[in-house]
Amino acid sequence: MHQDIEEILISEEQIKNRTDELGKQIAEDYKGKNLLLLGTLKGAVPFIADLARAIDLNLEIDYMAVASYGNSTQSSGIVRIIKDLEGPIDQKHLLIIEDIIDSGLTLHYLVDLLRRRNPLSIKICSLLDKERERAKNVVVDYPGFVIPDKFVVGYGLDYAQRYRNLPYIGILKPSVYSNVAIPEDEHASPAENH
Ligand code: IMP
Ligand code: MG
């Protein structure tokens, strides 16, 4: 285990098993449909890579990079698009693949924005679903794991852009937060969706 990690919340094996289950379910639900998996950069990259290989269908993959305006601890719900989809989605069933849903503000805004492009349907799959009060009510159609309201890293999730490469989901030691002085613009926070 990495020295900065206090506890492994979800092991590599648990992630793999749950991803395979979700993949089977998604393959059943989207059989015969034109499916586009939309991954959000950067956090959802490991998850979408594994999930896509667990879905036995012809599908497409594209990515969006978004950042939410706000201070370091709260997202405002106003999203800036850093990288958009490559093409139109009006002939496609959209499945948004997220790493984690926290306040729900970022995703709520994203769904609103994508709905205006008239996809055949929009659903959400999120590896992690934080158990907390949502600022916006976002329904996760395919939840991976419901987790307590703690800041987690690994398997795509970062703190100050680090720990994304850990193969498991872990809780950071509090000393990591208090010891490291991070410049304001590099703050990793729930408000920054990348
Ligand atoms: P929200 O749902 O608008 O509050 O923002 C969700 C985004 O905040 C996610 O896509 C992550 O990038 C980030 N985030 C929220 N909680 C965590 C966490 O526990 N660890 C790492 N990133 C997080
Ligand atoms: Mg992040």
Side-chain angles (χ1 to χ4, degrees), residues 24-36:
K24 284 202 181 90
Q25 198 186 332
I26 290 165
E28 249 178 64
D29 296 352
Y30 287 89
K31 208 174 190 170
K33 291 181 174 163
N34 205 2
L35 174 62
L36 173 66

mmCIF file with all atom_site columns, all heavy atoms in Angstrom, residues 24-36:
data_model
loop_
_atom_site.group_PDB
_atom_site.id
_atom_site.type_symbol
_atom_site.label_atom_id
_atom_site.label_alt_id
_atom_site.label_comp_id
_atom_site.label_asym_id
_atom_site.label_entity_id
_atom_site.label_seq_id
_atom_site.pdbx_PDB_ins_code
_atom_site.Cartn_x
_atom_site.Cartn_y
_atom_site.Cartn_z
_atom_site.occupancy
_atom_site.B_iso_or_equiv
_atom_site.pdbx_formal_charge
_atom_site.auth_seq_id
_atom_site.auth_comp_id
_atom_site.auth_asym_id
_atom_site.auth_atom_id
_atom_site.pdbx_PDB_model_num
ATOM 1   N N   . LYS A 1 24 ? -21.794 -6.174  -18.057 1.00 0.00 ? 24 LYS A N   1
ATOM 2   C CA  . LYS A 1 24 ? -22.800 -7.147  -18.503 1.00 0.00 ? 24 LYS A CA  1
ATOM 3   C C   . LYS A 1 24 ? -24.183 -6.515  -18.543 1.00 0.00 ? 24 LYS A C   1
ATOM 4   O O   . LYS A 1 24 ? -24.955 -6.720  -19.479 1.00 0.00 ? 24 LYS A O   1
ATOM 5   C CB  . LYS A 1 24 ? -22.816 -8.356  -17.555 1.00 0.00 ? 24 LYS A CB  1
ATOM 6   C CG  . LYS A 1 24 ? -21.646 -9.289  -17.775 1.00 0.00 ? 24 LYS A CG  1
ATOM 7   C CD  . LYS A 1 24 ? -21.948 -10.696 -17.233 1.00 0.00 ? 24 LYS A CD  1
ATOM 8   C CE  . LYS A 1 24 ? -20.752 -11.615 -17.449 1.00 0.00 ? 24 LYS A CE  1
ATOM 9   N NZ  . LYS A 1 24 ? -19.830 -11.561 -16.278 1.00 0.00 ? 24 LYS A NZ  1
ATOM 10  N N   . GLN A 1 25 ? -24.493 -5.763  -17.486 1.00 0.00 ? 25 GLN A N   1
ATOM 11  C CA  . GLN A 1 25 ? -25.808 -5.115  -17.392 1.00 0.00 ? 25 GLN A CA  1
ATOM 12  C C   . GLN A 1 25 ? -25.982 -4.091  -18.526 1.00 0.00 ? 25 GLN A C   1
ATOM 13  O O   . GLN A 1 25 ? -27.040 -4.042  -19.173 1.00 0.00 ? 25 GLN A O   1
ATOM 14  C CB  . GLN A 1 25 ? -25.911 -4.421  -16.036 1.00 0.00 ? 25 GLN A CB  1
ATOM 15  C CG  . GLN A 1 25 ? -27.330 -4.079  -15.624 1.00 0.00 ? 25 GLN A CG  1
ATOM 16  C CD  . GLN A 1 25 ? -27.350 -3.257  -14.346 1.00 0.00 ? 25 GLN A CD  1
ATOM 17  O OE1 . GLN A 1 25 ? -26.448 -3.367  -13.502 1.00 0.00 ? 25 GLN A OE1 1
ATOM 18  N NE2 . GLN A 1 25 ? -28.358 -2.412  -14.212 1.00 0.00 ? 25 GLN A NE2 1
ATOM 19  N N   . ILE A 1 26 ? -24.952 -3.309  -18.768 1.00 0.00 ? 26 ILE A N   1
ATOM 20  C CA  . ILE A 1 26 ? -25.015 -2.286  -19.819 1.00 0.00 ? 26 ILE A CA  1
ATOM 21  C C   . ILE A 1 26 ? -25.156 -2.957  -21.190 1.00 0.00 ? 26 ILE A C   1
ATOM 22  O O   . ILE A 1 26 ? -25.945 -2.526  -22.034 1.00 0.00 ? 26 ILE A O   1
ATOM 23  C CB  . ILE A 1 26 ? -23.764 -1.368  -19.756 1.00 0.00 ? 26 ILE A CB  1
ATOM 24  C CG1 . ILE A 1 26 ? -23.829 -0.494  -18.491 1.00 0.00 ? 26 ILE A CG1 1
ATOM 25  C CG2 . ILE A 1 26 ? -23.647 -0.498  -21.006 1.00 0.00 ? 26 ILE A CG2 1
ATOM 26  C CD1 . ILE A 1 26 ? -22.534 0.192   -18.115 1.00 0.00 ? 26 ILE A CD1 1
ATOM 27  N N   . ALA A 1 27 ? -24.428 -4.041  -21.405 1.00 0.00 ? 27 ALA A N   1
ATOM 28  C CA  . ALA A 1 27 ? -24.507 -4.762  -22.689 1.00 0.00 ? 27 ALA A CA  1
ATOM 29  C C   . ALA A 1 27 ? -25.928 -5.266  -22.945 1.00 0.00 ? 27 ALA A C   1
ATOM 30  O O   . ALA A 1 27 ? -26.419 -5.228  -24.075 1.00 0.00 ? 27 ALA A O   1
ATOM 31  C CB  . ALA A 1 27 ? -23.514 -5.920  -22.696 1.00 0.00 ? 27 ALA A CB  1
ATOM 32  N N   . GLU A 1 28 ? -26.582 -5.717  -21.886 1.00 0.00 ? 28 GLU A N   1
ATOM 33  C CA  . GLU A 1 28 ? -27.961 -6.188  -22.016 1.00 0.00 ? 28 GLU A CA  1
ATOM 34  C C   . GLU A 1 28 ? -28.906 -5.038  -22.344 1.00 0.00 ? 28 GLU A C   1
ATOM 35  O O   . GLU A 1 28 ? -29.726 -5.123  -23.250 1.00 0.00 ? 28 GLU A O   1
ATOM 36  C CB  . GLU A 1 28 ? -28.412 -6.787  -20.678 1.00 0.00 ? 28 GLU A CB  1
ATOM 37  C CG  . GLU A 1 28 ? -28.613 -8.291  -20.705 1.00 0.00 ? 28 GLU A CG  1
ATOM 38  C CD  . GLU A 1 28 ? -29.005 -8.779  -19.322 1.00 0.00 ? 28 GLU A CD  1
ATOM 39  O OE1 . GLU A 1 28 ? -30.085 -8.391  -18.836 1.00 0.00 ? 28 GLU A OE1 1
ATOM 40  O OE2 . GLU A 1 28 ? -28.180 -9.508  -18.738 1.00 0.00 ? 28 GLU A OE2 1
ATOM 41  N N   . ASP A 1 29 ? -28.734 -3.945  -21.599 1.00 0.00 ? 29 ASP A N   1
ATOM 42  C CA  . ASP A 1 29 ? -29.649 -2.808  -21.735 1.00 0.00 ? 29 ASP A CA  1
ATOM 43  C C   . ASP A 1 29 ? -29.502 -2.079  -23.077 1.00 0.00 ? 29 ASP A C   1
ATOM 44  O O   . ASP A 1 29 ? -30.456 -1.467  -23.552 1.00 0.00 ? 29 ASP A O   1
ATOM 45  C CB  . ASP A 1 29 ? -29.420 -1.799  -20.597 1.00 0.00 ? 29 ASP A CB  1
ATOM 46  C CG  . ASP A 1 29 ? -29.758 -2.389  -19.233 1.00 0.00 ? 29 ASP A CG  1
ATOM 47  O OD1 . ASP A 1 29 ? -30.309 -3.509  -19.186 1.00 0.00 ? 29 ASP A OD1 1
ATOM 48  O OD2 . ASP A 1 29 ? -29.463 -1.737  -18.211 1.00 0.00 ? 29 ASP A OD2 1
ATOM 49  N N   . TYR A 1 30 ? -28.330 -2.125  -23.675 1.00 0.00 ? 30 TYR A N   1
ATOM 50  C CA  . TYR A 1 30 ? -28.087 -1.350  -24.909 1.00 0.00 ? 30 TYR A CA  1
ATOM 51  C C   . TYR A 1 30 ? -27.950 -2.235  -26.154 1.00 0.00 ? 30 TYR A C   1
ATOM 52  O O   . TYR A 1 30 ? -27.485 -1.775  -27.185 1.00 0.00 ? 30 TYR A O   1
ATOM 53  C CB  . TYR A 1 30 ? -26.849 -0.466  -24.748 1.00 0.00 ? 30 TYR A CB  1
ATOM 54  C CG  . TYR A 1 30 ? -27.091 0.729   -23.844 1.00 0.00 ? 30 TYR A CG  1
ATOM 55  C CD1 . TYR A 1 30 ? -26.878 0.647   -22.476 1.00 0.00 ? 30 TYR A CD1 1
ATOM 56  C CD2 . TYR A 1 30 ? -27.543 1.939   -24.360 1.00 0.00 ? 30 TYR A CD2 1
ATOM 57  C CE1 . TYR A 1 30 ? -27.101 1.729   -21.634 1.00 0.00 ? 30 TYR A CE1 1
ATOM 58  C CE2 . TYR A 1 30 ? -27.774 3.038   -23.538 1.00 0.00 ? 30 TYR A CE2 1
ATOM 59  C CZ  . TYR A 1 30 ? -27.548 2.926   -22.173 1.00 0.00 ? 30 TYR A CZ  1
ATOM 60  O OH  . TYR A 1 30 ? -27.772 3.999   -21.356 1.00 0.00 ? 30 TYR A OH  1
ATOM 61  N N   . LYS A 1 31 ? -28.368 -3.465  -26.032 1.00 0.00 ? 31 LYS A N   1
ATOM 62  C CA  . LYS A 1 31 ? -28.303 -4.393  -27.168 1.00 0.00 ? 31 LYS A CA  1
ATOM 63  C C   . LYS A 1 31 ? -29.017 -3.812  -28.387 1.00 0.00 ? 31 LYS A C   1
ATOM 64  O O   . LYS A 1 31 ? -30.154 -3.358  -28.272 1.00 0.00 ? 31 LYS A O   1
ATOM 65  C CB  . LYS A 1 31 ? -28.986 -5.703  -26.765 1.00 0.00 ? 31 LYS A CB  1
ATOM 66  C CG  . LYS A 1 31 ? -28.456 -6.903  -27.494 1.00 0.00 ? 31 LYS A CG  1
ATOM 67  C CD  . LYS A 1 31 ? -29.104 -8.143  -26.911 1.00 0.00 ? 31 LYS A CD  1
ATOM 68  C CE  . LYS A 1 31 ? -28.438 -9.401  -27.446 1.00 0.00 ? 31 LYS A CE  1
ATOM 69  N NZ  . LYS A 1 31 ? -28.887 -10.565 -26.717 1.00 0.00 ? 31 LYS A NZ  1
ATOM 70  N N   . GLY A 1 32 ? -28.356 -3.778  -29.539 1.00 0.00 ? 32 GLY A N   1
ATOM 71  C CA  . GLY A 1 32 ? -28.977 -3.272  -30.758 1.00 0.00 ? 32 GLY A CA  1
ATOM 72  C C   . GLY A 1 32 ? -29.068 -1.758  -30.832 1.00 0.00 ? 32 GLY A C   1
ATOM 73  O O   . GLY A 1 32 ? -29.647 -1.208  -31.764 1.00 0.00 ? 32 GLY A O   1
ATOM 74  N N   . LYS A 1 33 ? -28.498 -1.068  -29.836 1.00 0.00 ? 33 LYS A N   1
ATOM 75  C CA  . LYS A 1 33 ? -28.565 0.396   -29.827 1.00 0.00 ? 33 LYS A CA  1
ATOM 76  C C   . LYS A 1 33 ? -27.216 1.010   -30.136 1.00 0.00 ? 33 LYS A C   1
ATOM 77  O O   . LYS A 1 33 ? -26.170 0.408   -29.916 1.00 0.00 ? 33 LYS A O   1
ATOM 78  C CB  . LYS A 1 33 ? -29.060 0.887   -28.460 1.00 0.00 ? 33 LYS A CB  1
ATOM 79  C CG  . LYS A 1 33 ? -30.517 0.550   -28.210 1.00 0.00 ? 33 LYS A CG  1
ATOM 80  C CD  . LYS A 1 33 ? -30.969 1.069   -26.867 1.00 0.00 ? 33 LYS A CD  1
ATOM 81  C CE  . LYS A 1 33 ? -32.471 0.844   -26.687 1.00 0.00 ? 33 LYS A CE  1
ATOM 82  N NZ  . LYS A 1 33 ? -32.867 0.959   -25.283 1.00 0.00 ? 33 LYS A NZ  1
ATOM 83  N N   . ASN A 1 34 ? -27.301 2.240   -30.653 1.00 0.00 ? 34 ASN A N   1
ATOM 84  C CA  . ASN A 1 34 ? -26.102 2.969   -31.018 1.00 0.00 ? 34 ASN A CA  1
ATOM 85  C C   . ASN A 1 34 ? -25.540 3.661   -29.772 1.00 0.00 ? 34 ASN A C   1
ATOM 86  O O   . ASN A 1 34 ? -25.942 4.758   -29.427 1.00 0.00 ? 34 ASN A O   1
ATOM 87  C CB  . ASN A 1 34 ? -26.525 4.006   -32.076 1.00 0.00 ? 34 ASN A CB  1
ATOM 88  C CG  . ASN A 1 34 ? -25.387 4.406   -32.960 1.00 0.00 ? 34 ASN A CG  1
ATOM 89  O OD1 . ASN A 1 34 ? -24.264 3.902   -32.832 1.00 0.00 ? 34 ASN A OD1 1
ATOM 90  N ND2 . ASN A 1 34 ? -25.651 5.324   -33.864 1.00 0.00 ? 34 ASN A ND2 1
ATOM 91  N N   . LEU A 1 35 ? -24.596 2.996   -29.105 1.00 0.00 ? 35 LEU A N   1
ATOM 92  C CA  . LEU A 1 35 ? -24.124 3.471   -27.793 1.00 0.00 ? 35 LEU A CA  1
ATOM 93  C C   . LEU A 1 35 ? -22.827 4.267   -27.885 1.00 0.00 ? 35 LEU A C   1
ATOM 94  O O   . LEU A 1 35 ? -21.852 3.841   -28.490 1.00 0.00 ? 35 LEU A O   1
ATOM 95  C CB  . LEU A 1 35 ? -23.927 2.262   -26.854 1.00 0.00 ? 35 LEU A CB  1
ATOM 96  C CG  . LEU A 1 35 ? -23.303 2.522   -25.485 1.00 0.00 ? 35 LEU A CG  1
ATOM 97  C CD1 . LEU A 1 35 ? -24.149 3.458   -24.629 1.00 0.00 ? 35 LEU A CD1 1
ATOM 98  C CD2 . LEU A 1 35 ? -23.083 1.195   -24.738 1.00 0.00 ? 35 LEU A CD2 1
ATOM 99  N N   . LEU A 1 36 ? -22.849 5.445   -27.255 1.00 0.00 ? 36 LEU A N   1
ATOM 100 C CA  . LEU A 1 36 ? -21.636 6.244   -27.117 1.00 0.00 ? 36 LEU A CA  1
ATOM 101 C C   . LEU A 1 36 ? -21.298 6.385   -25.632 1.00 0.00 ? 36 LEU A C   1
ATOM 102 O O   . LEU A 1 36 ? -22.084 6.922   -24.859 1.00 0.00 ? 36 LEU A O   1
ATOM 103 C CB  . LEU A 1 36 ? -21.829 7.646   -27.722 1.00 0.00 ? 36 LEU A CB  1
ATOM 104 C CG  . LEU A 1 36 ? -20.691 8.647   -27.485 1.00 0.00 ? 36 LEU A CG  1
ATOM 105 C CD1 . LEU A 1 36 ? -19.405 8.235   -28.200 1.00 0.00 ? 36 LEU A CD1 1
ATOM 106 C CD2 . LEU A 1 36 ? -21.092 10.058  -27.916 1.00 0.00 ? 36 LEU A CD2 1
#
